Amino acid sequence: MTFAAWWTTFVLVVGIAFFASGRVRLDIVAMAMMLSLLLGGVLTTEQALSGFAAPATLTLAGIYVVSGGMRRTGATALMGNWLLRVGRRSRRRLTTVLLLTSGALSAFMANLAALVIMLPVGLRVSRASRIAPGKTLLPLALFTALGGYLTLLGTPANLIISDILAQNTGRPLSMFEPALLGLPVFAFGLGWVLWVGWRWLPDTSEQPQQIGPNAQEVGRAYHLQESFYRLRIRSGSDLAGRSLQNLDLRGRWQINVVGVARPGGHPYRPWPELVVEVNDELIVQGKRADILQLASLHMLEPKGSVTLLELVRLAPAEMELAETLIPPYSPLVGNTLAELQFDEVYGLNVLALMRGDEVSAQRLPATPLQAGDRLLVQGAPARLERLRRGNTMIVLSGLGLPADEMITARAPHMMIILAAVIGLSVSGWVALPIAALLGAFATVLSGSITPEQAYEDIDWLVVVLIAALLPLSTALQTSGLSMVMGRLFTSYLGGLQPQALLAVLFVAAVLITQVLSNSVLALILAPITLDIAHIMAVQPQALMMAVLMGVSTSFLTPLTDIINLLVRKPGGYHIRHYLLLSGPIVLFMGALVIWLAPLIWPFH
């Protein structure tokens, strides 16, 4: 071996050791490997930096932006609501729709992003259907992994292998080419989990404390589904120039002003001395008939209804919700909100009161409070935190709402953008990286996210990791190390039939990926596999597909797979649960690779 080959071997062994130890960030290790190969003379400057302009890197960055747009606009929440509506009739149907949606979502975005989106939906499904989270979360994580086998976008490893194959054969993988093997595995996995595998999962689990009622559930419980409306003060209205205290809308009309917005600004919580002006928007709570009569008599323009979720999202710093309980020892007992001057003293707006099974949002200021009353209050987070530290009320649950639960008007735009990215890629009109970048550009241009949010949504650790490691494939080839390793491999296994080589490559990838990330392993095994194919004088596509399928099976154990690690505690899982659920699927995958891959991609 030449010096370049020895130096590449040294860098590779040390890098793998650091990757496996987990003591240093992966992107730092990757950058150190790239710079070591550059300084050692194995790579030129152009080759060392080529990964940052590689199709795989650009595609991944673009898809991260599109994924962020879907999450921030609520397009994924829209999908989740549809899932609950379609699948609620039966337990098995609900699980089926949940797993199919997870797989479809992860086929077109990063698996981790898909799980982050679907995990709250899975927990909500468990709570609504009374299915133990242990029966739901691991299958959910598994199918975000299996969905990665359905398209080229499914995992970074798919893009890496396609990129390396294109550099050496001139033909990359098409968008849905991985699905030729991935779809049968997905179908087998669905049948296995629904009919057999779920029986071996735990019936009990630790329910995460942060999972509380969502906005829709709170709105239904307190009868607030259609209680909030926007009213704009027109020119000539007799309300303009008067303070809210002077207007006394709550006393005269039973209408509660919960927010005021100046033209072009965000709503904020009002105070009694606030003077309203022309073009101000009032966000009010009350009966629709009373609100429309008020608007008609005082020249106010109705601007539509506002849901409870939208109310909080309009100004989260001012309008966080909380459900509170009045204990027997509270000084509030026996007093009315008006007597207590509750909104001024506590800085909180009471939206509704629940006493036993009775709920009221009317005449609250004059209602004497009793021990056991539950109040839905609204105010700044600092005010709620002060309430938690006192003894007047017990805060049962904070209802601060995640941004991705809000379904905005731009959610349909993001669905169209995602469909366009997929359509452009499949049609062949533009290359996949260009389609992904066009999708990212359209996401920002449509106003779905800001440019700053686009940069925040990109997982730079993964992008830099791949960009820095892609030149490793070039180093393995230019140094001659991949050829040496290929000759060594074939000297021991050269007598095997190509189908047996498929089995060996698949098993090696499955075992190594349990301790090494799929992206790193793909970059190491792909060039070696190409040289094995060259030495044996066979077409490389089938062998490369064995590597592609094997390197992403880290879901077999929770050792290094971050998706499995995320669901381990809330699902109450042990390592046997991962092996029992995923083991048969990996065995089926291996058999399919050996039998079907040579039929789809012939060796000769």
Side-chain angles (χ1 to χ4, degrees):
M1 295 200 325
T2 63
F3 169 79
W6 281 113
W7 181 248
T8 304
T9 302
F10 172 76
V11 172
L12 184 61
V13 170
V14 173
I16 290 175
F18 275 104
F19 280 132
S21 71
R23 296 182 178 180
V24 183
R25 280 174 51 115
L26 299 182
D27 53 340
I28 299 298
V29 176
M31 289 291 291
M33 293 175 69
M34 180 197 74
L35 293 172
S36 298
L37 294 170
L38 172 64
L39 297 175
V42 179
L43 295 174
T44 65
T45 301
E46 291 75 14
Q47 290 171 332
L49 299 178
S50 62
F52 290 92
T57 308
L58 298 176
T59 301
L60 193 61
I63 291 300
Y64 271 128
V65 175
V66 175
S67 299
M70 293 191 64
R71 176 177 55 82
R72 291 178 184 271
T73 60
T76 50
L78 194 65
M79 296 170 62
N81 291 343
W82 168 83
L83 183 151
L84 290 169
R85 186 170 60 252
V86 171
R88 63 186 174 187
R89 295 182 182 177
S90 74
R91 175 171 170 169
R92 180 164 286 145
R93 179 176 179 178
L94 183 59
T95 305
T96 301
V97 177
L98 178 67
L99 299 184
L100 289 175
T101 305
S102 301
L105 200 60
S106 66
F108 299 103
M109 62 174 60
N111 294 350
L112 181 58
L115 181 68
V116 169
I117 290 164
M118 293 302 298
L119 187 56
V121 177
L123 287 164
R124 190 180 304 170
V125 165
S126 294
R127 185 176 66 245
S129 58
R130 297 186 178 180
I131 303 173
K135 298 287 189 183
T136 304
L137 299 187
L138 186 55
L140 183 66
L142 172 63
F143 274 80
T144 58
L146 294 182
Y149 290 109
L150 299 180
T151 70
L152 201 59
L153 300 176
T155 69
N158 294 359
L159 293 168
I160 290 169
I161 289 175
S162 175
D163 199 36
I164 293 174
L165 198 58
Q167 292 175 13
N168 289 271
T169 67
R171 192 187 78 82
L173 297 175
S174 63
M175 169 66 85
F176 293 102
E177 201 163 351
L180 296 175
L181 295 177
L183 192 58
V185 173
F186 192 93
F188 173 83
L190 187 63
W192 168 258
V193 169
L194 290 176
W195 296 98
V196 181
W198 70 273
R199 302 176 187 273
W200 295 338
L201 296 176
D203 287 316
T204 57
S205 67
E206 175 186 342
Q207 187 75 13
Q209 295 179 356
Q210 71 270 21
I211 301 301
N214 59 40
Q216 289 80 7
E217 293 167 341
V218 171
R220 286 193 297 268
Y222 284 89
H223 304 167
L224 297 176
Q225 296 97 319
E226 297 181 357
S227 296
F228 303 98
Y229 298 86
R230 282 178 176 266
L231 298 173
R232 185 179 70 85
I233 299 179
R234 290 172 169 163
S235 177
S237 171
D238 60 340
L239 302 188
R242 300 170 63 185
S243 69
L244 292 176
Q245 188 175 41
N246 180 259
L247 295 177
D248 191 24
L249 297 182
R250 194 159 199 168
R252 294 167 53 196
W253 292 89
Q254 293 302 305
I255 292 175
N256 180 22
V257 180
V258 298
V260 176
R262 299 297 188 193
H266 293 290
Y268 49 86
R269 185 181 175 278
W271 58 92
E273 295 78 18
L274 176 66
V275 176
V276 296
E277 304 291 349
V278 173
N279 291 323
D280 283 355
E281 282 193 1
L282 308 180
I283 302 175
V284 298
Q285 174 195 10
K287 293 182 179 179
R288 185 170 184 273
D290 293 340
I291 293 172
L292 291 178
Q293 187 177 5
L294 173 71
S296 176
L297 292 176
H298 294 280
M299 294 185 65
L300 305 177
E301 178 188 0
K303 300 285 287 184
S305 62
V306 180
T307 68
L308 185 63
L309 174 60
E310 291 170 334
L311 175 65
V312 181
R313 287 289 297 134
L314 285 171
E318 289 282 339
M319 299 183 179
E320 185 173 330
L321 295 179
E323 193 176 17
T324 64
L325 175 71
I326 299 179
Y329 52 80
S330 172
L332 304 183
V333 174
N335 296 295
T336 67
L337 295 174
E339 292 170 344
L340 295 166
Q341 296 182 308
F342 189 88
D343 56 345
E344 296 181 36
V345 173
Y346 294 95
L348 298 170
N349 198 353
V350 179
L351 302 181
L353 180 149
M354 181 182 294
R355 179 173 293 165
D357 296 330
E358 298 295 324
V359 175
S360 175
Q362 303 297 317
R363 304 189 184 280
L364 293 180
T367 302
L369 300 176
Q370 297 180 9
D373 285 352
R374 298 170 73 168
L375 302 180
L376 183 65
V377 299
Q378 165 211 45
R383 293 283 189 172
L384 293 174
E385 184 58 34
R386 192 174 302 130
L387 195 65
R388 288 185 178 92
R389 294 196 297 265
N391 62 354
T392 57
M393 304 179 76
I394 299 172
V395 178
L396 298 177
S397 59
L399 302 173
L401 301 170
D404 51 8
E405 193 176 338
M406 170 67 176
I407 300 175
T408 69
R410 292 188 173 89
H413 300 167
M414 285 309 308
M415 301 293 285
I416 294 172
I417 289 172
L418 178 63
V421 171
I422 297 169
L424 286 172
S425 304
V426 173
S427 68
W429 291 346
V430 297
L432 177 57
I434 301 302
L437 292 177
L438 285 173
F441 184 71
T443 299
V444 175
L445 196 63
S446 68
S448 299
I449 60 176
T450 65
E452 292 77 15
Q453 290 172 331
Y455 284 107
E456 290 174 6
D457 289 332
I458 297 174
D459 190 337
W460 290 106
L461 187 150
V462 176
V463 171
V464 172
L465 172 69
I466 291 174
L469 283 180
L470 278 171
L472 177 62
S473 171
T474 303
L476 289 171
Q477 293 172 330
T478 57
S479 68
L481 181 60
S482 63
M483 180 64 73
V484 171
M485 297 176 72
R487 291 184 186 279
L488 184 63
F489 189 92
T490 53
S491 67
Y492 287 100
L493 303 174
L496 296 178
Q497 295 298 315
Q499 284 84 353
L501 280 176
L502 286 174
V504 171
L505 285 171
F506 178 79
V507 170
V510 169
L511 294 177
I512 299 173
T513 198
Q514 305 310 314
V515 295
L516 203 62
S517 76
N518 60 351
S519 300
V520 176
L521 187 57
L523 285 161
I524 294 172
L525 287 183
I528 296 172
T529 302
L530 284 172
D531 281 315
I532 291 172
H534 176 73
I535 293 169
M536 297 190 66
V538 297
Q539 294 296 322
Q541 281 78 9
L543 297 176
M544 292 288 276
M545 289 304 297
V547 173
L548 182 147
M549 300 297 286
V551 297
S552 294
T553 58
S554 55
F555 57 82
L556 184 60
T557 68
L559 299 178
T560 59
D561 189 86
I562 191 170
I563 292 176
N564 279 342
L565 291 173
L566 282 176
V567 301
R568 186 172 187 175
K569 186 176 181 181
Y573 300 118
H574 299 288
I575 193 167
R576 69 176 183 276
H577 296 124
Y578 295 91
L579 294 173
L580 289 172
L581 189 69
S582 303
I585 297 175
V586 174
L587 291 175
F588 176 81
M589 185 188 297
L592 195 71
V593 165
I594 296 169
W595 170 69
L596 189 58
L599 298 179
I600 300 174
W601 301 278
F603 289 115
H604 300 287

